[in-house]
Structure formats: C-alpha cells, structure tokens
Amino acid sequence: MQEKIVILDFGSQTTQLIGRRVRELNIYSEIIPYDKYPFGREAEEGIIGVILSGSPLSVYDKDAFKVDIAAINAAVPVLGICYGAQLMAHTFGGKVEPAPSREYGRAHLSYIDPACPIFKGIEPGAQVWMSHGDTITSLPEGYTCVASTPEVKFAAFCAGPKMWGVQFHPEVYHSECGMQLLENFTVGVCGASRSWSAESFIETTVAELKAQLGNDRVILGLSGGVDSSVAAVLLNRAIGSNLTCIFVDHGMLRKNEFADVLRDYECLGLNVRGVDASDKFFADLAGVTDPERKRKIIGADFIEVFDKEAAKITDARWLGQGTIYPDCIESLSITGTVIKSHHNVGGLPERMNLRLCEPLRLLFKDEVRAVGRALGMPEHLITRHPFPGPGLAVRILGEVTREKVGILQEADHIFIKGLRDSGLYNDVWQAGVILLPVQSVGVMGDERTYERAVALRAVTSTDAMTADWAHLPYEFLAKVSNEIINKVRGVNRVCYDISSKPPATIEWE
Ligand code: XMP
C-alpha cells in the first residue's frame, strides 16, 4: 500500500500547494474534501498523517466546515494550517475572534519552543507568511504555544503528542522555513519514508497498467502537448504495440508542428497514426466568426475524425487520456458544493463503449514533466508551452481561413523561435501571436501599405488560472516586431498585449 499524507480541504486557495509541497519532499499526498475522510480506514489506505487546510470561512460561522479532529488524531498525527489550526482551537475550547486588522504578509517568528519537533532546525527570526482575518486569542486547556510573532502570540501551538496548529502558511513560498516545518511533520513525526519519485511512480504505474490492461488494446489521442505525450510513452512502456495513438491535424497547429511532433512520436517508438483532416475543419469553419461556435465545430469535427479512425481498431477496450491531478481534484466552493472539473474528450468513452485509462491522474504538472524526463523523452516535448486544443483558430479573430493560418504561423514561428534563441522560452508559461481583424496604414519603402495588425501575447503563470503579462525586454520585442514586419507578408503592425488575467484571459477568444 502506497503510504500517503492526506490534505483535508476546507476550500483554501493554497490547498493544492500543500499537496505539491509534500510531493516535493518525495512523499505521496492526496487532497480530499473535508467531509470525505475515510475514518477508521487509515491503515488500509496507507494514511500516515493528515494536514488540515486553510479556508475562506471563519470557524465560528454557522455553516463552517467541520470534521471530527479527535477521531482522526486517535489514528494519525494531525497538522492544522490557518483555518485548520483555528478549527482545532475552537473545537477544543479555545477562542477564535476576528483579528483587529487582517494579518497578511511577511512576519518573523520571535519565539520558538526549542523542544518542539515540528520546529526542529528552525531558528527565531525565520520568515513566515500570514494570511488570516481571524486569530486565536486563547488556547484550549492543555495546549502549549510553540511559536509567536510580535503580532501573533499563538502563531503555532501543540495540542497533544501528535497534533499541532500553525496560523501561518508553511506551504507558501514566502514562508522560508515552511518546507522544513512540513518535513519535520511528515518525516519526523509521521515517519514518511520519502520513497515517492518519478522513477518509483513509473515502476509502480507500469506494473499496475500491465495488470489492469493485460492483453487489451488501448487507443489514445495525442495533441502534441506534454500530458498526452507522457501518458502515451508510459502506456507504451507497459503494453507496447497494444497502444495505438491517433494524432489529428486540424490544420491550425503551429508551423511544421504536425510533421515535427509526429516524427518525435515515432522516434519514441510509439505506434502512432497521423491523420490530416484539415480540409474538413476548414470547410466546416468557413464563414464562422463567433468564438464559441468555432470551438464547438472544432470539437465536434475532432470527435468525428477521431471516432472514424478509432473505429478501425475494432478490438480496442480502453481509451487512454492524459488527465492530470488538478483536472480531477474535487475543489470546494465557499458554499460547500463539491465541484468536479474533469474533462474527457467530449464524452468519447461512453459513445465508443470504452473504459477510461488515465495513468497520470495522480500527478501535478511538474511531476508529469519529471516522469517524462525519467522516461527519456526529449526536453523540447517536455517543456513545450501549453497550446489550446482548437489551436490557432482561437488566435485568429473572426473567420478562420488557410491564408490567415499561414500568416499567423509565420509570425508565431518568429516569436517562438525568438524566445527560444534568446533563452526566454522557459521563463514564459505560454506565448503566441494573435491575428487581429484590423488593417492599418503603414509605409514600406516608398509604398503606402494597408495591412494586418498582430498582437504578441506572452504570460507568466503557474496554472493558467491567473496570469501576468511577461515583462519581456524591449530590445527583444523590438527585434521580434522588426522581423515579423519585414518577413511576414500581409502584416505591417505589431502590438504587445499587456493585460493580466483576470480580468483578461490568456487567449483572445
Ligand atoms: P484562457 O484563455 O481561458 O486560457 O485564459 C487558459 C488556458 O487554457 C487554454 N485554452 C484552451 N485549451 N481548449 C483547450 O484545450 C480551448 O478551447 C482552450 N481555450 C483556452 C489556454 O491556451 C491557456 O493555456
């Protein structure tokens, strides 16, 4: 049984981060909604410790999320973070009140109990990150304060031999001693063996896939993106040629991408079928300008093409997918509703009567990359920027035509190659060029021009939920702009998009 640390989610924005930080310590972690804890099944499930997350709620709210902490702690050690700590204090007779002013930002620990195991190796003066509107004003009987800041007396407390609460957020990168604290809890107190690694994941997953799939055939749709590519290579390692991959070219990929990626896949030993269906996509998109209709047409066409190709593999039993952990985590909204955002390819498995096989469903994005590297995949496939399924269609405002795709591919190629050549590619989460539905006047040589404008878009982000525009050097932007205007026929103006998300989105459509 895989040993694990459970993170009980009370709806904090940093819950996923707690899970990731524990994984960074090479310990497997799982995020579970606060009301789904498997009481009494700790040994069966391999649970060796529990972390209670923060929450946007107050513990004294009528509808506050609650859990039987004593029952959990009777089985395994517990660490409460922020709301988790306040819930402990509140439940066992302490007092939690609104702080006179919201405590937010950097703070430094002025007192640390030198004997406390979760503060081992952490010295007074250590920086932590606070973010709470409530504060603990008195501790339950028998609890002891183990750390304070000048403003927050009970910054951390011990609630018994195997239970602690911290008001600050050790999972946040600004908490400089946070990883040490999480390590002290998970390794020092819970006894985690730190055996979770890309290599161990590959070994166990390949064995599991072999047992699960036996001699069955699996179909998998490749997109050129990291997740589907890594899923394919992993499946290939487990079942070899019983995996058939289908890579559909809708005609709106980047310049040369279809041929290049297909070659990469073949070099990786994948049994892959490339299907050029661009004529169908362009025909169905003719005259369509509404962004949502464009997406729907592309989605429906994709399913039709994929379906037709997959039907040729008559004895397939499974559909492989590159779904990753953030796609599957049941996230809590503030109302307590559990929202599950789990995409699969437009209901394909049901339609095709296939079972779903998702070998990466337990991994965060950075872990998918680590697994890809450990599988020996080329770096350019692993560090590739995310790219939308409908491709350049959502970067051409208005009707999509082959001619416009051709122009955009050239401009995009110059921008992306420029980023790679300047060593900026990996500093950026995602980048691309947008073809605007505007023409403007320019002058080239002695000629007046009346041509198209494009916008460059480059953002930094960690998960695409929020994003900032990338502060690319002016010299670099000037060079790219010059090159696009000089080399791409039909473009005479280049803009740089300096909107962040929210309120803008990464894509323009
Ligand atoms: P937005 O534009 O919503 O994009 O800020 C967030 C992330 O999602 C990608 N994206 C898509 N991916 N199909 C996809 O597979 C789509 O229709 C789609 N729209 C946006 C976008 O590239 C970014 O990474």
Side-chain angles (χ1 to χ4, degrees):
M1 172 48 59
Q2 168 80 56
E3 70 173 26
K4 68 179 88 149
I5 295 286
V6 160
I7 292 110
L8 267 196
D9 182 22
F10 292 95
S12 164
Q13 289 190 349
T14 61
T15 302
Q16 274 204 33
L17 199 50
I18 306 174
R20 287 179 54 160
R21 301 297 258 164
V22 173
R23 298 259 187 112
E24 280 170 30
L25 290 164
N26 297 107
I27 301 163
Y28 180 61
S29 68
E30 240 173 56
I31 297 168
I32 302 182
Y34 73 98
D35 56 352
K36 300 269 171 69
Y37 185 75
F39 286 101
R41 300 214 323 268
E42 286 84 357
E44 240 172 289
E45 304 252 340
I47 302 171
I48 56 168
V50 170
I51 299 179
L52 312 176
S53 86
S55 173
L57 300 178
S58 290
V59 289
Y60 46 76
D61 283 350
K62 188 163 55 64
D63 301 320
F65 301 153
K66 302 225 160 85
V67 69
D68 188 347
I69 300 175
I72 299 175
N73 189 226
V76 291
V78 178
L79 173 68
I81 293 178
C82 197
Y83 178 93
Q86 292 162 5
L87 188 62
M88 259 178 211
H90 180 74
T91 308
F92 298 104
K95 205 162 188 188
V96 178
E97 296 178 284
S101 64
R102 198 178 146 76
E103 283 152 355
Y104 182 82
R106 285 179 185 78
H108 295 89
L109 296 173
S110 45
Y111 161 75
I112 292 175
D113 175 355
C116 177
I118 66 162
F119 281 96
K120 201 171 144 200
I122 303 173
E123 300 287 331
Q127 178 176 297
V128 294
W129 188 260
M130 294 284 182
S131 175
H132 52 106
D134 291 336
T135 196
I136 300 169
T137 49
S138 81
L139 288 179
E141 228 181 281
Y143 281 32
T144 49
C145 173
V146 292
S148 311
T149 71
E151 283 77 34
V152 182
K153 185 168 175 205
F154 305 122
F157 58 81
C158 174
K162 290 191 301 171
M163 186 149 94
W164 292 266
V166 293
Q167 288 250 23
F168 54 89
H169 288 269
E171 72 278 19
V172 169
Y173 292 89
H174 299 288
S175 283
E176 286 164 4
C177 60
M179 276 305 261
Q180 183 65 53
L181 189 143
L182 290 173
E183 183 180 334
N184 289 341
F185 176 71
T186 52
V187 181
V189 176
C190 304
S193 62
R194 306 189 71 164
S195 52
W196 171 258
S197 66
E199 287 76 12
S200 72
F201 170 83
I202 294 168
E203 199 179 311
T204 11
T205 309
V206 166
E208 280 168 13
L209 287 171
K210 279 184 173 158
Q212 181 189 28
L213 303 171
N215 244 334
D216 291 354
R217 274 188 172 275
V218 181
I219 304 174
L220 182 139
L222 286 167
S223 67
V226 187
D227 303 343
S228 64
S229 305
V230 174
V233 176
L234 196 55
L235 271 161
N236 183 55
R237 188 166 287 194
I239 60 166
S241 58
N242 273 347
L243 170 72
T244 307
C245 302
I246 298 172
F247 183 25
V248 176
D249 183 6
H250 52 32
M252 289 154 281
L253 295 170
R254 295 196 138 114
K255 185 179 175 182
N256 299 334
E257 186 159 37
F258 185 66
D260 290 351
V261 176
L262 201 56
R263 199 173 325 112
D264 282 338
Y265 286 148
E266 283 162 359
C267 288
L268 284 164
L270 295 179
N271 169 16
V272 55
R273 299 184 183 187
V275 187
D276 177 359
S278 52
D279 286 344
K280 175 177 177 50
F281 283 84
F282 281 115
D284 292 344
L285 284 169
V288 181
T289 54
D290 176 68
E292 280 316 296
R293 267 201 70 210
K294 286 202 281 192
R295 270 203 174 75
K296 288 219 167 76
I297 291 170
I298 295 169
D301 279 4
F302 180 84
I303 288 178
E304 200 184 315
V305 173
F306 188 86
D307 220 357
K308 206 165 132 195
E309 202 55 39
K312 296 179 188 162
I313 307 152
T314 47
D315 51 349
R317 306 267 307 267
W318 301 80
L319 183 73
Q321 272 188 188
T323 317
I324 68 169
Y325 200 38
D327 302 329
C328 311
I329 296 177
E330 296 184 16
S331 56
L332 287 170
S333 78
I334 192 157
T335 56
T337 327
V338 173
I339 305 164
K340 189 156 187 165
S341 61
H342 186 151
H343 6 248
N344 49 38
V345 191
L348 264 181
E350 297 80 25
R351 280 167 46 121
M352 296 167 69
N353 203 17
L354 294 175
R355 295 168 73 188
L356 257 189
C357 174
E358 300 174 311
L360 308 179
R361 72 188 175 285
L362 297 176
L363 300 189
F364 289 106
K365 192 85 178 182
D366 45 347
E367 294 172 321
V368 173
R369 293 200 162 111
V371 166
R373 281 193 187 99
L375 285 165
M377 293 172 64
E379 200 59 22
H380 66 267
L381 260 189
I382 288 168
T383 53
R384 162 163 291 165
H385 288 165
F387 186 69
L392 300 179
V394 293
R395 296 185 180 166
I396 293 172
L397 308 195
E399 189 192 0
V400 181
T401 61
R402 272 196 194 271
E403 184 228 345
K404 289 185 193 168
V405 169
I407 294 174
L408 188 52
Q409 280 178 333
E410 293 304 323
D412 178 80
H413 180 69
I414 291 171
F415 187 29
I416 299 298
K417 185 167 181 308
L419 285 168
R420 286 194 191 278
D421 292 348
S422 316
L424 293 165
Y425 185 85
N426 288 335
D427 297 340
V428 166
W429 165 268
Q430 190 170 355
V433 181
I434 322 293
L435 188 66
L436 304 180
V438 243
Q439 283 176 286
S440 74
V441 173
V443 56
M444 270 192 199
D446 294 330
E447 300 265 323
R448 174 189 185 276
T449 60
Y450 186 58
E451 290 176 343
R452 295 173 198 280
V454 296
L456 308 181
R457 180 72 163 144
V459 296
T460 54
S461 177
T462 48
D463 52 11
M465 301 295 284
T466 60
D468 193 10
W469 58 279
H471 294 215
L472 295 174
Y474 282 177
E475 299 69 31
F476 170 76
L477 290 171
K479 198 162 158 274
V480 169
S481 163
N482 265 340
E483 202 174 334
I484 290 178
I485 293 174
N486 286 335
K487 292 195 180 155
V488 184
R489 290 193 68 144
V491 175
N492 69 351
R493 197 171 291 269
V494 174
C495 315
Y496 189 50
D497 180 353
I498 54 166
S499 343
S500 55
K501 173 183 179 177
T505 49
I506 296 175
E507 305 294 347
W508 279 41
E509 280 197 343

